[in-house]
Amino acid sequence: MALSLKRVLIGTPVATDRAHHERLPKTTALAVFASDALSSTAYATQEIMLALMLTVAFAADPSTLQNLDKVLPIGLAIVVLLLIVATSYRQTVYAYPQGGGAYLVAKENLGQKTGLVAAAALLIDYVLTVAVSIAAGVAALTSAFPALRGHPVEIACAAIAFVALLNLRGAKESGTAFAIPTYSFVASMTFLIGYGLFRHFNGLPMEYAPLTPQLGPLPSVTLAPEEVHQTMGWALVFLVMRAFASGCTALTGIEAISDGVPAFKKPEAKNAAITLGWMALILCSLFIGITYLTFATKAQPILPLDPGTNIVALHHGHLEEPTETLVSVLAHMTFDASPFPWFYFVIQGATTLILILAANTAFADFPRLSSILAKDRFMPRQFQSIGDRLVFNNGILALAVLAGLLIWAFGGSTTRLIALYAVGVFTSFTLSQAGMVVHWFKKRTPRWQLAALVNAVGACATCVVAIIIGVTKFTSGAWMVIVAVPLLVWVLHSIHRHYASVSKQLSMEGYRPAQGVRQHVLVLVPDIHRGVIPALQLARTMSNDARAIHVSIDPTRESRVKERWTLYSRGMPLTLLPSPFRSLVDPVVDYVNELRARDPQCQVIVVIPEFEPRGWWPKLLHGHAGIALAVRLHFIPGVVVVNVPYHIEAFVK
């Protein structure tokens, strides 16, 4: 039944020699690897606005509203940074076509420890990518359907499970499923920007009266006096830097293509580089378009107010989670008075889908990076296992669980989660680009100086941004990531030390097998029936000194065993083990430990008979004490457990 359910959910297994057919063309790869970066345009400008809104003191100083106009120059600065990083990663694609991204680049050029820092930063960022994208998608959904606002965690966890299931079905199948939502989002957002600017420049009405008052020059909306003092006491430059840091979430996911080059059709590097160029062009266009439309229309996300005081309150120095997103407000302003007001729901639907499916980028790269780390013995080797559909199942499942826990811990709040975001990815950006500079100095290929300069500029720019994000968001939650990265590096090192120790202990170098090791073969006899006879026969073939043991729990059964033993034992001695507390496991374990204590160099082989009825539910009708005994014995050095099943039918005529 479980196998049938697995086939329905995941599909039939794919043969290994079909792996090249599972590779992705450029159009599908764009949907798989670029959905995270493209979807960030749905919330990056909003995060800039929320940071700038902290400078606004409405009733006290209305002139501070001009600070909201800084959204455009900040957006332009982010676009310049985006182009620098995209150009740098384009070079990485050609230099490292085997994939692995920041980890391999940093490891080969800056050392193993630096590579682990890059890997740890990326792993954390991938988990955050899933959590932030899904939370933002739920926020877009609840903006259109307010009745769902009370269940963000449940909706988010269901969405994570859905995306994980699609990825378990295989990279090609998941890419095809995500292509339509990705391109629909690009098309609908392009139409929103184009039509919105057309209406704005032609003086057509672009008004929106939300149910909750909008943050702006409204006399009835104010900040509490102590919060005004706190806000205005901050240095403006710090708030602008904080807004810039928040907007840099637009760059998250831009490294995904360099991590997944092997997933492309041949020629892998060329196709990946072309796809990266497409992604950068679309991302820049959508981000600056949304930012400029926000600047031109003075749009703002809708914030929750205290119903009693009509005050926008701060929570630990931050504005609360918007009740309506910036994209939702822009869509209302653009389409409510247009001939097609229904297009608002198209925008929200496409935004919700792309934000939820944007988690697919992390589901494509987290398992791949985990498998590379596992190959280098820095992660559990189970992450190397390829599932039925030629994907790394364990990596997909681990990412889903970690992201779900993060969503639960932060209540599904995009604002709270995004404070942790981007620190890790810009750290990996910096290490990757610095590693590429060293790479060019080593290889000295034609025009290497120009290539090194491009990567050096990228390394410096991303390093500055990483510092800005770390400083401006430290108290908001960035400290968690700053602490988590070295902690995860320590865990990876510990795993590596364990595997190195195992390898050393299993090595055949200098090994001399022990001679004359005595073997004690014990066969467990719970009763005398057909299921026990094969175990007795096997024990005799293993040693002429085999011994049967019976744990005396039931006097009636003990009498039956002693009565029948002479008929079926063929001379094998029987030892009765008393069990005053009616335990099967403890007397056997104690007996084995006594043998080991008398002869520490001996090997004890315990043969456990068990009968197996056909079907899953008949198994539930029988005890499984043999399993518990086998588990206990498994952890005793020098003990080997042999289970001998005797298969029977559930029913006989």
Side-chain angles (χ1 to χ4, degrees):
M1 185 178 68
L3 184 61
S4 300
L5 180 61
K6 180 181 178 182
R7 293 288 171 260
V8 170
L9 294 176
I10 299 178
T12 56
V14 179
T16 304
D17 58 7
R18 296 283 300 173
H20 65 283
H21 293 289
E22 294 296 304
R23 294 197 174 193
L24 306 174
K26 294 187 290 293
T27 51
T28 304
L30 183 65
V32 171
F33 292 108
S35 55
D36 175 26
L38 296 179
S39 69
S40 64
T41 58
Y43 56 80
T45 304
Q46 172 178 289
E47 293 304 314
I48 298 174
M49 290 294 293
L50 289 174
L52 291 176
M53 283 176 172
L54 286 171
T55 67
V56 179
F58 300 86
D61 187 3
S63 65
T64 55
L65 285 169
Q66 64 185 357
N67 289 336
L68 300 181
D69 292 342
K70 292 182 174 62
V71 65
L72 184 58
I74 290 173
L76 291 172
I78 291 172
V79 167
V80 172
L81 176 65
L82 193 156
L83 293 173
I84 293 172
V85 174
T87 304
S88 299
Y89 269 107
R90 185 180 173 88
Q91 296 188 159
T92 304
V93 166
Y94 282 111
Y96 288 88
Q98 69 269 38
Y103 167 64
L104 284 183
V105 175
K107 182 186 75 169
E108 291 190 7
N109 299 289
L110 302 176
Q112 186 68 72
K113 291 182 179 179
T114 307
L116 287 180
V117 172
L122 273 178
L123 290 173
I124 292 171
D125 182 70
Y126 288 142
V127 177
L128 284 167
T129 292
V130 176
V132 170
S133 298
I134 295 293
V138 172
L141 179 66
T142 55
S143 292
F145 302 99
L148 299 176
R149 285 177 186 165
H151 310 282
V153 174
E154 294 88 341
I155 299 173
C157 289
I160 291 174
F162 173 71
V163 177
L165 180 61
L166 282 180
N167 277 273
L168 289 172
R169 293 186 64 87
K172 188 173 182 180
E173 190 163 337
S174 65
T176 303
F178 295 160
I180 295 176
T182 300
Y183 289 114
S184 298
F185 172 77
V186 172
S188 61
M189 292 299 283
T190 301
F191 183 65
L192 168 65
I193 295 166
Y195 189 65
L197 292 176
F198 170 80
R199 291 184 66 87
H200 172 72
F201 287 120
N202 285 276
L204 297 175
M206 294 189 68
E207 298 176 354
Y208 174 47
L211 297 178
T212 8
Q214 194 173 357
L215 200 63
L218 302 175
S220 59
V221 182
T222 183
L223 290 172
E226 64 275 10
E227 292 168 347
V228 171
H229 177 74
Q230 179 188 19
T231 302
M232 299 310 294
W234 290 347
L236 179 60
V237 64
F238 179 83
L239 288 172
V240 171
M241 289 170 59
R242 183 169 178 163
F244 174 77
S246 298
C248 282
T249 54
L251 276 74
T252 54
I254 202 170
E255 83 293 342
I257 290 177
S258 69
D259 290 339
V261 177
F264 284 79
K265 286 184 177 294
K266 295 182 178 181
E268 295 91 340
K270 181 180 178 181
N271 288 333
I274 292 172
T275 306
L276 179 57
W278 290 352
M279 180 184 71
L281 178 62
I282 297 171
L283 178 58
C284 287
S285 301
L286 293 183
F287 174 69
I288 201 62
I290 290 293
T291 303
Y292 185 80
L293 186 61
T294 301
F295 168 79
T297 61
K298 310 295 182 185
Q300 300 158 17
I302 308 303
L303 299 173
L305 303 177
D306 187 321
T309 61
N310 207 32
I311 290 176
V312 178
L314 295 176
H315 179 68
H316 298 300
H318 301 278
L319 294 170
E320 291 282 3
E321 180 90 2
T323 57
E324 188 167 348
T325 64
L326 178 63
V327 169
S328 176
V329 171
L330 287 172
H332 271 302
M333 296 174 71
T334 302
F335 298 113
D336 279 2
S338 73
F340 28 85
W342 50 267
F343 204 80
Y344 165 81
F345 293 99
V346 174
I347 292 289
Q348 290 304 102
T351 303
T352 299
L353 282 177
I354 190 64
L355 284 168
I356 290 176
L357 300 183
N360 186 62
T361 298
F363 276 104
D365 281 343
F366 180 95
R368 193 175 300 276
L369 177 57
S370 298
S371 72
I372 294 173
L373 287 167
K375 185 178 180 180
D376 290 345
R377 302 195 299 183
F378 286 103
M379 285 190 73
R381 60 186 53 174
Q382 292 91 328
F383 285 94
Q384 278 187 271
S385 302
I386 299 177
D388 290 350
R389 303 289 292 181
L390 299 179
V391 293
F392 299 103
N393 286 5
N394 293 325
I396 292 172
L397 295 173
L399 178 58
V401 171
L402 291 172
L405 290 174
L406 202 59
I407 286 284
W408 172 77
F410 285 83
S413 169
T414 309
T415 301
R416 293 174 62 194
L417 284 166
I418 216 162
L420 284 67
Y421 208 25
V423 180
V425 72
F426 275 92
T427 300
S428 65
F429 282 173
T430 302
L431 296 178
S432 174
Q433 301 314 305
M436 285 300 297
V437 174
V438 176
H439 168 82
W440 297 124
F441 272 90
K442 287 180 179 178
K443 298 297 182 181
R444 295 182 180 269
T445 54
R447 302 178 65 187
W448 69 270
Q449 296 94 334
L450 177 60
L453 178 62
V454 171
N455 286 124
V457 172
C460 293
T462 53
C463 180
V464 170
V465 174
I467 294 171
I468 291 174
I469 294 174
V471 171
T472 59
K473 292 189 173 185
F474 185 82
T475 58
S476 306
W479 66 269
M480 298 183 193
V481 178
I482 295 172
V483 171
V485 169
L487 182 61
L488 182 54
V489 170
W490 176 80
V491 171
L492 298 178
H493 261 299
S494 299
I495 293 173
H496 185 76
R497 286 179 56 201
H498 169 74
Y499 281 133
S501 176
V502 170
S503 179
K504 183 177 180 180
Q505 295 176 70
L506 297 180
S507 173
M508 296 298 293
E509 184 177 352
Y511 175 69
R512 296 292 183 272
Q515 301 296 323
V517 176
R518 179 176 172 80
Q519 289 185 332
H520 297 280
V521 178
L522 308 176
V523 55
L524 184 66
V525 180
D527 204 341
I528 301 297
H529 52 64
R530 293 186 185 184
V532 172
I533 302 303
L536 294 174
Q537 293 171 336
L538 177 63
R540 290 191 192 96
T541 64
M542 299 171 71
S543 172
N544 293 326
D545 192 27
R547 175 179 299 273
I549 54 176
H550 174 77
V551 181
S552 300
I553 298 176
D554 183 356
T556 303
R557 183 177 296 179
E558 178 184 338
S559 300
R560 185 166 60 242
V561 169
K562 289 192 293 185
E563 179 184 340
R564 297 181 178 181
W565 184 246
T566 54
L567 296 175
Y568 301 100
S569 65
R570 293 176 55 185
M572 181 183 295
L574 173 67
T575 299
L576 300 175
L577 302 179
S579 180
F581 299 104
R582 300 162 303 284
S583 170
L584 169 69
V585 176
D586 291 341
V588 177
V589 171
D590 292 341
Y591 186 73
V592 169
N593 285 331
E594 288 176 9
L595 290 176
R596 292 278 300 158
R598 290 198 299 264
D599 186 2
Q601 301 302 317
C602 75
Q603 183 181 58
V604 180
I605 302 174
V606 181
V607 181
I608 302 177
E610 54 187 6
F611 61 89
E612 289 289 337
R614 189 182 301 275
W616 64 270
W617 71 266
K619 292 181 173 61
L620 302 178
L621 303 178
H622 302 276
H624 298 280
I627 296 177
L629 176 60
V631 171
R632 284 282 299 276
L633 294 173
H634 179 78
F635 295 100
I636 302 177
V639 176
V640 177
V641 178
V642 179
N643 292 87
V644 183
Y646 182 78
H647 297 279
I648 60 176
E649 297 295 330
F651 303 98
V652 292
K653 295 181 180 179

